[in-house]
Amino acid sequence: MGPVQAVNTCLRKYATFSGRASRSEFWWFTAAMLLSIMAAFALDLTLFEISRNEEAPIFYPITEIVSLGYLLPSAAAQVRRLHDIGAPSQPALLLILTVYALGYAVTYLDLTGRVPDYESATSYLVCTTYFVVVCVGFIILSLLPSQSAINPYGPNPNEVPT
């Protein structure tokens, strides 16, 4: 599956948490998502002249909108990718939502240099470590090859014409 077809498929199935997604579909979509979020961030920096030295809280409006727009499609693509290797989606969906929440909190806290809701730096370190470990785990699972033939979640997407 090529990049344009993968992005179109994932955006078309933005809330479809059933079925399977091939490695190429998932990784092309992830690459496009990351590139568009980086472009939104660059646009924020250019348009709003935001710097780390400002006293005001840092807020990147375009990046926030683009990231929130990808929340549901990327979670659905990740669940379908886990289905493709035969993994159940219920625990994964909880972990995905946790990763998004912690990722947002860790990014916000890191950019502002403040730790507003944590009693100590240890809590921040634990949250950051959990975030990194879960992300690495999802990356490893997403790199595994598809289960051949049919599994409980449907036919192999590499063997089914789209």
Side-chain angles (χ1 to χ4, degrees), residues 119-150:
E119 294 180 13
S120 68
T122 306
S123 299
Y124 179 74
L125 181 63
V126 167
C127 288
T128 304
T129 304
Y130 175 79
F131 174 74
V132 169
V133 167
V134 172
C135 285
V136 168
F138 275 129
I139 290 170
I140 291 169
L141 288 173
S142 298
L143 289 171
L144 294 175
S146 301
Q147 280 189 336
S148 59
I150 296 175

Side-chain angles (χ1 to χ4, degrees), residues 7-29:
V7 171
N8 287 337
T9 299
C10 286
L11 291 177
R12 192 178 67 247
K13 296 179 175 181
Y14 72 95
T16 304
F17 290 86
S18 60
R20 295 167 65 169
S22 65
R23 274 190 293 193
S24 61
E25 176 185 331
F26 175 76
W27 285 111
W28 279 121
F29 175 71

Side-chain angles (χ1 to χ4, degrees), residues 15-151:
T16 304
F17 290 86
S18 60
R20 295 167 65 169
S22 65
R23 274 190 293 193
S24 61
E25 176 185 331
F26 175 76
W27 285 111
W28 279 121
F29 175 71
T30 300
M33 176 182 66
L34 292 176
L35 286 173
S36 64
I37 289 172
M38 287 189 305
F41 183 69
L43 195 58
D44 273 334
L45 292 178
T46 303
L47 292 176
F48 301 109
E49 298 178 16
I50 299 170
S51 74
R52 289 182 62 135
N53 298 329
E54 294 177 3
E55 290 294 324
I58 295 175
F59 178 68
Y60 302 101
I62 298 170
T63 306
E64 298 290 333
I65 292 168
V66 171
S67 297
L68 285 174
Y70 277 117
L71 178 65
L72 194 57
S74 63
Q78 180 68 63
V79 167
R80 288 195 313 274
R81 179 70 199 120
L82 291 173
H83 284 171
D84 192 42
I85 64 169
S89 61
Q90 292 82 4
L93 195 55
L94 179 63
L95 283 174
I96 290 168
L97 295 175
T98 303
V99 164
Y100 273 107
L102 281 175
Y104 182 80
V106 166
T107 301
Y108 172 75
L109 294 174
D110 185 46
L111 290 173
T112 60
R114 292 178 285 158
V115 186
D117 295 326
Y118 294 106
E119 294 180 13
S120 68
T122 306
S123 299
Y124 179 74
L125 181 63
V126 167
C127 288
T128 304
T129 304
Y130 175 79
F131 174 74
V132 169
V133 167
V134 172
C135 285
V136 168
F138 275 129
I139 290 170
I140 291 169
L141 288 173
S142 298
L143 289 171
L144 294 175
S146 301
Q147 280 189 336
S148 59
I150 296 175
N151 73 10

